[in-house]
Amino acid sequence: MELAVMKLGALTCPSCMQKIEHAVSGVNGVSSVKVLFNAAKLKAQFDPAATDADKLADVVKGLGYEVESVKVKELA
């Protein structure tokens, strides 16, 4: 498993957070998603055999939100 941490832009309300969480959680291989509204960050655990952080960022961008940075950590 890997963890993608994304710095987001353009989060204006809690419903934005829910919209992003719902969309990213629907991606095959994603096991958990949490958007931290006040920090404007997304954390998503995913199976790298099924998807990657770029695909998750594309989902967020497709909803009309900015992805300012993406970091990926391998989980032990």
Side-chain angles (χ1 to χ4, degrees):
M1 293 298 269
E2 292 186 350
L3 177 69
V5 179
M6 298 180 200
K7 176 73 175 152
L8 305 175
L11 284 182
T12 57
C13 62
S15 65
C16 298
M17 179 178 76
Q18 293 171 339
K19 186 176 179 181
I20 293 169
E21 285 179 348
H22 180 73
V24 174
S25 68
V27 175
N28 186 40
V30 173
S31 59
S32 70
V33 179
K34 182 69 178 163
V35 174
L36 307 169
F37 182 74
N38 291 336
K41 286 187 179 178
L42 175 145
K43 294 183 178 186
Q45 237 181 53
F46 65 95
D47 178 356
T51 192
D52 60 36
D54 290 337
K55 167 71 174 157
L56 303 182
D58 287 345
V59 169
V60 175
K61 291 175 189 174
L63 295 172
Y65 300 101
E66 298 171 29
V67 176
E68 297 174 0
S69 66
V70 180
K71 295 180 182 176
V72 178
K73 299 176 188 175
E74 190 171 325
L75 301 175

